[in-house]
Amino acid sequence: MPESNLAYSRIVLSTFDDDLVVETVNECREAVGGKASCVFAFVSSDWRPHLEDFLEIVQIHGRSPLVIGGS
């Protein structure tokens, strides 16, 4: 089993892109050992039209029941 981190962070400077969000969330999930009990996500205001899609991707691919965030 891979070593698990208690926390992992990632900064992505880009416009919203479904595939990039999925890739980033998968990387973060793998870095913490497969499942996070809570995800903290912060996005810029230009992602506002995509927040529902973003949250759905984070919950599904991050396998996290709790997502806390801000903009």
Side-chain angles (χ1 to χ4, degrees), residues 35-41 55 58-59 62-69:
K35 184 176 180 183
S37 57
C38 179
V39 171
F40 291 87
L55 289 172
V58 171
Q59 288 176 317
R63 300 181 189 148
S64 177
L66 181 60
V67 178
I68 300 169

Side-chain angles (χ1 to χ4, degrees), residues 24-36 60-63:
T24 303
V25 170
N26 286 337
E27 177 185 313
C28 293
R29 188 191 71 248
E30 290 172 13
V32 298
K35 184 176 180 183
I60 291 170
H61 291 273
R63 300 181 189 148

Side-chain angles (χ1 to χ4, degrees), residues 17-63:
D17 178 281
D18 287 8
D19 293 333
L20 179 59
V21 175
V22 169
E23 177 184 325
T24 303
V25 170
N26 286 337
E27 177 185 313
C28 293
R29 188 191 71 248
E30 290 172 13
V32 298
K35 184 176 180 183
S37 57
C38 179
V39 171
F40 291 87
F42 301 90
V43 298
S44 62
S45 60
D46 60 320
W47 281 35
R48 185 180 182 132
H50 310 284
L51 285 179
E52 281 188 46
D53 294 333
F54 173 78
L55 289 172
E56 183 176 342
I57 291 169
V58 171
Q59 288 176 317
I60 291 170
H61 291 273
R63 300 181 189 148

